[in-house]
Amino acid sequence: MKNIFIVVLAIATLVSCEQSLKTGFIDNSEVINNYQEKLDIEAKYKAKIEAFQKRTDSTSRAFQMEAQEFQLKAQNLPDAQAQKEYQALSQKQQMLQQRIQFEEQQIQQESQVEIDSLISKVKGFVSEYGKNNGYAYIFGSNEGGSVMYGSEENEVTQIILDALNAEYKKD
């Protein structure tokens, strides 16, 4: 009889412990995609990409004009000289393409570094928010299905997003 009482008491204790764990979940995509800092980063890189495109278009037009002038001029040049100038023009085209590719890669790398940093910042914020607000767990849901179901009362997506954006506005 004494053993049954101990088992019942242990089960009751476990059940009460399980019920006292505060949990929540967030929609990762919604938090990241609606976080104002991410929107600001996207706007910054959109402007950089537009400026890059304008420079690239201008450089390409100038090179095309130079190539057209060469074609007209090459008709009146001796073959050896035309071949020499054609090689120089080809080298210039290669250098322009390499410069464009390098600059494009630089923009992509800078953007990725900022986005990676932002994701780390959001993870840290959610962790601190959970600690400061008594959560045992805050799960992230995404297309991969880490949270397949959660009751609406446990969803804290908007609360986290609002707090995150408020923190960002302070900076």
Side-chain angles (χ1 to χ4, degrees):
M1 187 70 146
K2 191 174 185 182
N3 288 340
I4 293 174
F5 178 72
I6 292 174
V7 170
V8 170
L9 181 62
I11 290 173
T13 304
L14 285 174
V15 169
S16 68
C17 286
E18 285 180 22
Q19 290 175 349
S20 66
L21 292 179
K22 185 175 178 182
T23 62
F25 69 94
I26 62 170
D27 182 329
N28 296 342
S29 298
E30 187 175 333
V31 169
I32 295 294
N33 291 329
N34 294 318
Y35 179 29
Q36 187 60 50
E37 186 174 358
K38 181 185 183 265
L39 298 173
D40 292 347
I41 289 170
E42 285 176 339
K44 173 181 149 182
Y45 282 97
K46 182 179 179 185
K48 276 189 172 192
I49 289 168
E50 287 172 357
F52 166 73
Q53 288 288 10
K54 285 180 184 178
R55 283 193 313 274
T56 301
D57 291 346
S58 175
T59 302
S60 294
R61 280 193 301 275
F63 181 79
Q64 286 174 350
M65 288 175 53
E66 187 176 343
Q68 287 172 350
E69 288 174 13
F70 168 74
Q71 286 178 340
L72 293 173
K73 184 176 142 184
Q75 294 172 358
N76 300 324
L77 293 175
D79 286 343
Q81 187 176 355
Q83 184 66 25
K84 184 178 177 182
E85 287 187 31
Y86 175 75
Q87 286 176 346
L89 194 61
S90 292
Q91 285 179 339
K92 184 175 183 178
Q93 181 183 25
Q94 259 186 336
M95 287 175 39
L96 288 173
Q97 288 172 338
Q98 287 173 351
R99 191 184 84 212
I100 289 169
Q101 186 177 15
F102 176 77
E103 190 173 343
E104 189 174 37
Q105 287 173 345
Q106 288 293 101
I107 291 171
Q108 287 174 348
Q109 286 174 351
E110 287 174 25
S111 170
Q112 192 59 52
V113 165
E114 285 198 50
I115 294 297
D116 290 348
S117 174
L118 176 118
I119 290 170
S120 292
K121 182 178 180 179
V122 169
K123 285 179 181 178
F125 182 88
V126 171
S127 177
E128 282 301 309
Y129 183 89
K131 287 177 192 172
N132 295 336
N133 290 282
Y135 284 88
Y137 300 98
I138 296 180
F139 300 100
S141 70
N142 57 32
E143 294 298 318
S146 60
V147 173
M148 300 298 284
Y149 169 77
S151 66
E152 285 185 31
E153 65 202 34
N154 292 335
E155 183 171 4
V156 292
T157 301
Q158 195 59 49
I159 295 167
I160 295 284
L161 184 58
D162 291 344
L164 194 57
N165 282 327
E167 184 72 24
Y168 176 63
K169 286 179 185 176
K170 288 181 191 177
D171 295 340

